[in-house]
Amino acid sequence: MRILLTNDDGIHAPGLLALKNELSRTAEVDVVAPMAEQSAVGHSITLHRPLRVIEIERDGELVGYGVNGAPADCVKLALAELLDERPDVVVSGINLGANVGVNVLYSGTVAAAIEGAMFGIPSLAVSIEIEDRPQFDPAARIVGKLIRKMPLAELGDHVILNVNVPAIPPSRIKGVKVTRQSVRAPEEAFDRRTDPRGRYYYWITADFDGLAEEEGTDVNALRDGYVSITPLHFDMTRHTLLQKLGNWDLGGGLA
Ligand code: MN
């Protein structure tokens, strides 16, 4: 199996290195990842400056290619230019910080996986809940087991699996739950401060903790101590409304 590994925390992030070590035991792993942290850049790509690629080594060994772009740039460039062979799977992570609920929409980690799915490759986004001392190695072992276990080819086109690991000791993880994405909006909050010239500026401080949640969601699974797996689809069409809107006769009288 060949795996393209990327992330949004940057090529030096411990979560990526843990996953590279684990996945390399049973697969050929190519790393193409951003040179610098790109968290919350979503599915942005780089249009107005050139993309540079640098081979990154650690302890005398090649880690992979660092790119001065966004996660989606990395996957595009890897598939079109950098890799000799097409990967069987794209894996993005392990991100430091859960990507659940509406966070999924801002996530560079998830965007990189979506980019893989756009090219018809089974893709996973992997994140771990934030805590003081994140345990990337046990989380990487869980992901390695899942990848070896899952018949990924059966997922079909345009699907990614969004995997989130709870921030509890691995021995206390209760199992795996297949979940839907929570769509509850966080309570928006900003910290307003004053600069030396008396003008206001703002830090976003939205907090996802303490939200009432619903059964069956990714947020709930993490809170209950389960690994959450959500199948995501990047076709944003609301298919159930196609017929209704079609019946609205919107074309009449426009000309
Ligand atoms: Mn990140």
Side-chain angles (χ1 to χ4, degrees):
M1 183 189 275
R2 296 198 76 89
I3 295 175
L4 168 60
L5 177 60
T6 189
N7 74 350
D8 79 357
D9 291 340
I11 195 163
H12 300 289
L16 179 136
L17 297 172
L19 211 41
K20 186 183 184 213
N21 289 339
E22 166 62 29
L23 298 177
S24 296
R25 298 192 309 119
T26 55
E28 294 291 317
V29 180
D30 295 303
V31 173
V32 183
M35 284 297 298
E37 186 179 342
Q38 299 287 313
S39 293
V41 301
H43 211 123
S44 66
I45 53 172
T46 303
L47 296 181
H48 301 295
R49 58 179 172 80
L51 290 171
R52 307 276 180 191
V53 181
I54 301 172
E55 287 193 357
I56 301 295
E57 287 186 4
R58 192 183 176 89
D59 302 327
E61 267 187 54
L62 181 72
V63 175
Y65 295 110
V67 177
N68 66 334
D73 289 319
C74 292
V75 175
K76 275 188 192 302
L77 200 55
L79 297 178
E81 296 285 337
L82 302 178
L83 301 186
D84 295 328
E85 280 184 61
R86 182 182 161 92
D88 303 297
V89 183
V90 173
V91 181
S92 179
I94 301 170
N95 186 64
L96 178 54
N99 277 306
V100 289
V102 293
N103 271 355
V104 164
L105 299 170
Y106 307 109
S107 169
T109 306
V110 173
I114 289 174
E115 192 70 32
M118 282 166 57
F119 286 89
I121 302 170
S123 298
L124 286 86
V126 184
S127 309
I128 187 169
E129 256 185 319
I130 209 156
E131 63 169 333
D132 291 344
R133 286 191 204 152
Q135 303 208 30
F136 289 115
D137 288 338
R141 280 196 289 278
I142 290 171
V143 174
K145 276 183 196 159
L146 289 173
I147 289 177
R148 288 189 286 274
K149 225 174 178 177
M150 291 191 288
L152 292 170
E154 290 180 16
L155 283 177
D157 285 344
H158 307 156
V159 172
I160 76 157
L161 297 181
N162 186 30
V163 180
N164 282 275
V165 178
I168 53 178
S171 60
R172 286 178 41 212
I173 292 177
K174 291 181 190 160
V176 171
K177 273 197 176 169
V178 175
T179 57
R180 71 179 190 279
Q181 182 193 345
S182 167
V183 292
R184 291 256 172 106
E187 288 200 17
E188 288 300 346
F190 288 85
D191 185 349
R192 191 182 79 177
R193 303 186 184 188
T194 310
D195 77 11
R197 291 172 188 82
R199 295 171 302 201
Y200 293 134
Y201 67 100
Y202 299 86
W203 285 101
I204 197 164
T205 56
D207 183 6
F208 288 80
D209 292 341
L211 277 181
E213 274 301 334
E214 300 149 299
E215 222 23 64
T217 60
D218 46 8
V219 175
N220 263 31
L222 280 192
R223 187 172 295 171
D224 295 344
Y226 289 87
V227 173
S228 168
I229 302 183
T230 309
L232 300 175
H233 193 203
F234 67 77
D235 172 3
M236 293 192 188
T237 311
R238 186 65 158 174
H239 288 270
T240 54
L241 281 178
L242 285 175
Q243 198 174 0
K244 188 177 208 172
L245 264 71
N247 290 337
W248 281 1
D249 189 26
L250 300 174
L254 287 184

